[in-house]
Amino acid sequence: MKIVNTSVKKVDGMGVVTGNPAYTEDLILNNNVLTIKLLRSPHAFAKIKSIDVSIALKVPGVEAVYTHEDTPKTRFTLAGQSFPEPSPYDRRILDEYVRYVGDPVAIIAAEDERAAEKAMKLIKVQYEVLEPILDFEKAIDSHILVHPEEVHTNFEIGYERERNIAAKAYAEKPGVDDGFLQSDIILERTYYTQPQMHAMMETYRSYSYFDVNGRLTTISST
């Protein structure tokens, strides 16, 4: 009870506001690491018809280049709720479809950033550019299908792939009609809130290594 209803100083609070904590890059144990760069889509919605990484692989210092042809077809969700995750498993590490400008197309692993960026410019991608949905109010029952593939959910959440609905819920509170009958004025409007985004001091990044027992250890800014 010494803690309840008292102000507790956050252990790392002062360091966070002054920028002192160690960032992921500060925790790298040695310099024997590869740098990862992502080639990203310039299109809001497209299908990758072909991708050629042969020239990029010849760049000195480049260790590997991965595309949707190399990565597992297992789907997962980017949402971060605890298991069993309710969100649709609609994501692959790399997909033949890109669904927003900046969607990853290829992964380049190289000895340094310069080699990775040089290789990235040498990857040749042929896209079939598709019509995107740019207005969320027009997404439901659109002739444009965001996910033509089958998508898994762990349990029923109201997901309807054919209608571009990720999830839905319905709630009803009784007595509203009676309230309307007693009201002198009924005002119905649609409200839009401003978008919000977390403002972190460190960008998303990870560092991984194999320990002495061969176990993969990952340190992540997330």
Side-chain angles (χ1 to χ4, degrees):
M1 296 301 293
K2 294 180 180 179
I3 301 299
V4 177
N5 201 33
T6 62
S7 177
V8 179
K9 184 177 180 180
K10 196 172 187 296
V11 175
D12 60 345
M14 184 57 69
V16 169
V17 298
T18 57
N20 285 331
Y23 294 99
T24 304
E25 194 166 348
D26 299 327
L27 302 177
I28 297 177
L29 301 178
N30 58 68
N31 294 323
N32 187 28
V33 294
L34 296 177
T35 296
I36 302 296
K37 285 288 184 178
L38 301 177
L39 174 66
R40 298 182 178 275
S41 167
H43 305 293
F45 193 25
K47 183 178 182 180
I48 299 174
K49 297 180 66 176
S50 66
I51 182 166
D52 185 356
V53 301
S54 58
I55 299 177
L57 285 169
K58 296 178 181 178
V59 174
V62 171
E63 293 292 330
V65 179
Y66 301 103
T67 71
H68 71 90
E69 297 173 349
D70 310 304
T71 54
K73 298 187 182 299
T74 305
R75 296 192 177 273
F76 58 93
T77 175
L78 288 177
Q81 287 76 242
S82 58
F83 188 82
E85 168 63 61
S87 305
Y89 282 50
D90 56 5
R91 190 71 202 180
R92 285 179 56 193
I93 296 175
L94 294 173
D95 203 329
E96 61 180 328
Y97 285 93
V98 288
R99 297 179 173 87
Y100 61 90
V101 174
D103 208 354
V105 173
I107 302 171
I108 304 100
E111 293 178 356
D112 54 49
E113 190 171 1
R114 180 177 297 180
E117 289 183 343
K118 182 176 181 180
M120 185 165 55
K121 296 175 181 178
L122 296 174
I123 299 174
K124 297 179 180 179
V125 186
Q126 184 178 5
Y127 297 95
E128 177 187 351
V129 180
L130 305 172
E131 181 184 358
I133 298 177
L134 302 178
D135 186 342
F136 73 92
E137 290 190 328
K138 298 178 181 178
I140 295 180
D141 295 326
S142 170
H143 67 282
I144 303 169
L145 190 60
V146 176
H147 285 280
E149 77 283 1
E150 289 297 328
V151 173
H152 163 74
T153 56
N154 284 322
F155 47 85
E156 177 58 40
I157 58 170
Y159 174 71
E160 294 185 54
R161 179 183 62 85
E162 299 81 359
R163 301 185 63 202
N164 291 329
I165 298 177
K168 63 178 181 289
Y170 176 77
E172 182 178 16
K173 187 174 180 63
V176 175
D177 292 336
D178 293 338
F180 282 169
L181 292 174
Q182 299 171 19
S183 300
D184 296 325
I185 298 175
I186 298 175
L187 184 62
E188 296 184 10
R189 290 179 177 175
T190 300
Y191 293 89
Y192 297 89
T193 61
Q194 75 275 17
Q196 299 184 31
M197 181 61 185
H198 299 291
M200 66 290 294
M201 296 182 69
E202 181 182 16
T203 56
Y204 293 125
R205 58 186 61 223
S206 297
Y207 159 63
S208 60
Y209 63 93
F210 285 102
D211 67 11
V212 293
N213 297 311
R215 296 173 299 187
L216 180 65
T217 302
T218 300
I219 300 172
S220 174
S221 62
T222 59

